[in-house]
Amino acid sequence: MDKIRVTGGNPLRGQIAIGGAKNAALALMPAALLTKGGLSLGNLPRVSDILSMVGLLEQLGVEATDDGNMIKLTAANFTSTVAPYEIVRKMRASIFVLAPLLARMGEADVSLPGGCAIGSRPVDQYISGLTAMGAAIELENGYIKARAPKGLIGTRYVFPFVSVGATESLMMAATLAKGDTELVNAAREPEVTDLAECLIKMGAKIEGVGSDTLRITGVGSLNAAVHDIIPDRIEAATYAMAAAITGGDVELLGARAAHFAAAQSVLQHAGVKMEQTEKGVRVSRPGKLMGTDAMTEPFPGFATDMQAQFMALMTVAEGASMVTETIFENRFMHVPELVRMGANITVHGTSALVRGVPKLKGAEVMATDLRASVSLVMAGLVAEGETTVSRIYHLDRGYEKLEQKLAACGAQIERFKTAEAA
C-alpha cells in the first residue's frame, strides 16, 4: 500500500497548475447518458474517482474514447441499466447515473452509494424529487429501483435543504421530462452552473442558472456537445492554504478567485495575501498567520470541502480560531491525527476550537477521507521532522499528481510503498 512521506520546513514557491473540477466532472460524465450523441469533455482531472466513473459508464454500455486531452462518452446503445454494488461502493458519485438513466430509458437500478465516511448524506431528496416527477421507486436489497416507463413529468419541487447532488440529478432528469419543472432552493455551486451550461449546449432549456430557482422545460432529446470543465476550486483553495501554512509564494495557474471568494475572505483575515493575475491567483503570506473563524455553508459560503485544510492551517496560527461544520456531521475525523502532530484542538459538537501552537511535529498519521488526507500532508509541510501519511488512496480520489506539484515548489515529499506491498 502506498504512503506519503513529508519532511517539513520548506516554504512553497513557484507555480501550480489547477486541474479540472472533480466534483463538476462526476456530474458531467453521467450527463452523457441523456443523449445518443457523444459528450466530449475537456480539462478532465485524472484521479481515481474519474476512472471509477468511466468504469461504471462502460458497464452501462457507454463507449469511452480518451485521447489524453479530451474524453468522448457515447451512450448510443445501452447494455445495462444496472449500476452494481461492486462499482458503486467505491464512490458515492455513482448515484449520478440514476436520474439520466431513468429519464432516457425509463428504468434504473442503482446500488446505494459508498464514498467517504463523513456523514449520512442521505439520498432522500433524489428519491422524493424523482417520485414527484412520476417515477415509481423502491429500495430493495440495497438497490434503488426506479421505473418511469411512460417518461418523467415536469413538476415543482422545493428542496428541504440545499443539496448539490440532488439539484444536479433533478436538473438532468428534468431536461427530458414532459412539460416544465421548477426546482426551488436549488444549490448554486459553480459545479451546478457548469453542468447547467453543458446541458444547455446539449439542447436543454434551462433558466435561472446560478440562482436558487431553476426552471427547466423538457425536450424530446438532447444532442452531442463539447464542454470544458471548470477549474477545481477545492484544489485551488487547498494549494492556497498549503502556500500559506509554509509562508510561501505560489501562483495557482487557471484558478478563478470568484469560485472560492468566501475562503479568500477568511484567508485574508488570517494574514494571507491573494491577488488575481493574468494566469490565475497568486498566494503569499508576508507576515504572521493569525487565528480566524470559519463556518461551512452552501455556496457562496465557505465550502465544507475546504474545512479540514483550513483547520490544519489554523493549528500554527497565532491565537485561537473556531471552525464550525454545518454540512456533514462526521467531518472532524482528521482532528485526532492533527493532535498526534502536536495540534491543540478541542471539539465541541459541530465546532472545533483550535489554539495555535508554535510548531507541529512529524508523526505517523492515517487519512480517514479525501480532504482529511490532504490536510495531514499540509500539516506535514510545516511540521518539524518527518510525517508519514497512510491510506492515501483517499487522496488519489481527488488530487492529481499532488506530490509532484508540491515537490516542484520546493516541498520535500515522496510517495513510497510499504514493505508488505513492495
Side-chain angles (χ1 to χ4, degrees), residues 333-334 337 340 364-368 372-373 376 388-391:
M333 291 189 292
H334 47 280
E337 303 304 298
R340 282 175 53 80
E364 291 189 6
V365 292
M366 181 179 295
T368 52
S373 61
L376 299 177
T388 302
V389 184
S390 60
R391 295 178 67 182

Side-chain angles (χ1 to χ4, degrees), residues 3-24:
K3 295 184 179 183
I4 282 181
R5 180 186 295 118
V6 187
T7 302
N10 296 346
L12 299 180
R13 301 189 186 282
Q15 296 178 321
I16 295 177
I18 302 303
K22 176 193 77 107
N23 289 344

Side-chain angles (χ1 to χ4, degrees), residues 175-230:
T175 61
L176 295 181
K178 298 180 180 70
D180 297 331
T181 297
E182 186 177 44
L183 302 178
V184 182
N185 196 29
R188 294 181 287 163
E189 272 72 0
E191 294 80 8
V192 177
T193 297
D194 201 32
L195 174 62
E197 291 175 349
C198 178
L199 291 171
I200 291 170
K201 290 178 183 178
M202 296 168 68
K205 297 181 179 180
I206 306 174
E207 297 179 352
V209 176
S211 76
D212 62 1
T213 302
L214 296 171
R215 291 170 293 277
I216 304 105
T217 299
V219 297
S221 62
L222 296 178
N223 49 254
V226 178
H227 183 75
D228 283 332
I229 299 166
I230 59 173

